[in-house]
């Protein structure tokens, strides 16, 4: 399995307790949609290695995980700093104008007034607002992800149709 067929969940930030449990800081909002969780793919030396979950508990943006074959504090400490991934097929399908961040990268954003703005470079997640980032002519354009702005997500055509607030695009492009 490669990272291209997975999504980033978060990183193991420390050990938890003395019986081999670790604290996984969850950095991905998409993770909340997962129903059943039996394993994580840990990025060890650029290889995704499955680690099966024996027990897991959640609090805020953290998961406290006990892996099946990690039973000591020493073994758990070897995992600190390692990134965790899950396969994309574990995410439930979205529809309509809802989408996962990884799903729309490279979609073309089309504004109802200005036409094609460029390709989605990245979805930037802030605590209060998510933004579509477009790089056009070496300039960054940020468009809020909001029901009043996103008019249609055309998955087949790989396009996102938007109606941006007046002056927003001009602010970035200086037109």
């Amino acid at each position: 399995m490669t990272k291209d067929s997975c999504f980033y969940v978060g990183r193991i930030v420390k050990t938890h307790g003395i019986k081999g449990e670790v604290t996984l800081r969850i950095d991905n909002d998409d993770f909340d949609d997962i129903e059943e969780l039996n394993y994580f793919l840990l990025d060890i030396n650029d290889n995704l290695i499955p680690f099966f979950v024996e027990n897991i508990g959640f609090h805020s943006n953290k998961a406290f995980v006990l892996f099946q074959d990690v039973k000591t504090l020493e073994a758990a400490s070897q995992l600190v700093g390692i990134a965790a991934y899950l396969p994309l097929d574990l995410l439930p399908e979205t529809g309509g104008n809802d989408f996962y961040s990884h799903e729309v990268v490279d979609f073309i954003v089309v504004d109802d007034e200005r036409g094609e703005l460029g390709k989605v470079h990245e979805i930037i997640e802030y605590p209060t607002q998510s933004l579509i980032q477009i790089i056009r002519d070496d300039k960054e354009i940020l468009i809020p992800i909001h029901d009043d702005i996103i008019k249609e997500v055309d998955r087949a055509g790989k396009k996102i149709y938007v109606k941006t607030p007046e002056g927003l695009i001009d602010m970035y492009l200086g037109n």
Side-chain angles (χ1 to χ4, degrees):
M1 185 151 307
T2 65
K3 288 183 189 176
D4 291 341
S5 60
C6 296
F7 69 98
Y8 174 76
V9 173
R11 188 168 299 279
I12 296 172
V13 292
K14 62 182 181 175
T15 60
H16 181 78
I18 59 170
K19 296 184 179 180
E21 200 170 20
V22 296
T23 302
L24 172 66
R25 185 187 67 231
I26 300 168
D27 293 334
N28 190 313
D29 291 337
D30 298 340
F31 181 77
D32 295 340
D33 296 320
I34 305 239
E35 304 253 338
E36 189 173 318
L37 190 57
N38 300 318
Y39 66 95
F40 286 98
L41 298 167
L42 300 186
D43 184 359
I44 298 175
N45 298 324
D46 284 329
N47 293 306
L48 294 180
I49 310 295
F51 277 70
F52 294 92
V53 174
E54 183 171 307
N55 191 22
I56 189 166
F58 297 95
H59 179 71
S60 187
N61 69 334
K62 293 183 179 94
F64 304 103
V65 185
L66 179 62
F67 292 114
Q68 285 180 358
D69 295 326
V70 179
K71 300 296 183 199
T72 66
L73 178 61
E74 292 77 22
S77 67
Q78 296 296 311
L79 301 177
V80 172
I82 291 178
Y85 292 83
L86 286 171
L88 289 173
D89 60 7
L90 286 182
L91 290 172
E93 283 191 32
T94 58
N97 291 345
D98 293 331
F99 54 83
Y100 294 117
S101 301
H102 66 272
E103 180 182 13
V104 296
V105 171
D106 290 333
F107 276 37
I108 295 171
V109 179
V110 181
D111 183 61
D112 65 342
E113 294 285 323
R114 308 248 342 200
E116 285 190 12
L117 298 175
K119 288 185 178 182
V120 175
H121 183 261
E122 179 181 4
I123 301 296
I124 301 172
E125 308 277 349
Y126 289 110
T128 57
Q129 179 72 62
S130 296
L131 303 168
I132 296 172
Q133 180 190 49
I134 301 165
I135 306 296
R136 177 177 168 167
D137 301 327
D138 294 326
K139 294 181 181 177
E140 177 184 60
I141 301 170
L142 298 174
I143 299 174
I145 297 174
H146 190 276
D147 291 340
D148 293 337
I149 295 173
I150 307 292
K151 296 301 174 191
E152 181 186 351
V153 177
D154 175 6
R155 286 171 174 74
K158 295 193 172 234
K159 293 185 178 182
I160 300 175
Y161 294 91
V162 298
K163 179 175 176 51
T164 57
E166 188 175 327
L168 179 70
I169 304 305
D170 293 335
M171 179 178 77
Y172 290 109
L173 299 179
N175 296 341

